């Protein structure tokens, strides 16, 4: 549990510095220790949104909503992911 907390805090620090790739990696390590902790999924979804990885962000939010079906952050970030995917689709030629 200590290691989980340390990794999560390191991830949070990376987010504050705008280092989203590093933060996502820390949150991924957290998930190996605890798959039920929703905050690391919503935090990683935030990182993915910042990195324009909308499909990955949506997947993390879907996972959270299977565990906590009323998680506001997951709903909000999933909506942002859907919006990002729509914009990307609109801007791609031939789709």
């Amino acid at each position: 549990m200590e290691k989980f907390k340390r990794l999560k805090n390191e991830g949070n620090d990376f987010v504050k510095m705008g280092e989203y790739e590093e933060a996502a990696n820390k949150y991924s390590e957290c998930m190996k220790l605890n798959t039920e902790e929703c905050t690391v999924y919503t935090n990683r979804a935030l990182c993915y949104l910042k990195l324009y990885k909308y499909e990955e962000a949506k997947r993390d939010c879907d996972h959270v909503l299977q565990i906590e079906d009323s998680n506001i952050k997951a709903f909000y970030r999933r909506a942002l992911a859907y919006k990002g995917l729509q914009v990307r689709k609109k801007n791609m030629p031939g789709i």
Side-chain angles (χ1 to χ4, degrees), residues 73-88:
K73 273 188 185 174
F75 272 118
Y76 178 68
R77 291 184 179 155
R78 185 170 71 174
L80 292 176
Y82 274 122
K83 186 177 176 193
L85 288 167
Q86 290 302 317
V87 169
R88 181 178 287 162

Side-chain angles (χ1 to χ4, degrees), residues 7 23 28 32 35 38-39 42 49 51 56 62 67-68 70 73 76-77 83:
L7 287 168
S28 295
K32 291 175 189 165
T35 57
C38 290
T39 54
T42 54
L49 288 169
L51 295 166
E56 292 88 338
D62 287 342
I67 300 167
E68 284 180 20
S70 60
K73 273 188 185 174
Y76 178 68
R77 291 184 179 155
K83 186 177 176 193

Side-chain angles (χ1 to χ4, degrees), residues 1 4 27-42 44 59-60 62-68:
M1 200 60 213
F4 178 87
Y27 296 136
S28 295
E29 286 181 51
C30 286
M31 291 165 192
K32 291 175 189 165
L33 302 172
N34 181 351
T35 57
E36 299 295 305
E37 177 62 49
C38 290
T39 54
V40 290
Y41 284 92
T42 54
R44 189 172 74 170
R59 201 172 324 137
D60 279 355
D62 287 342
H63 178 83
V64 170
L65 291 168
Q66 286 176 346
I67 300 167
E68 284 180 20

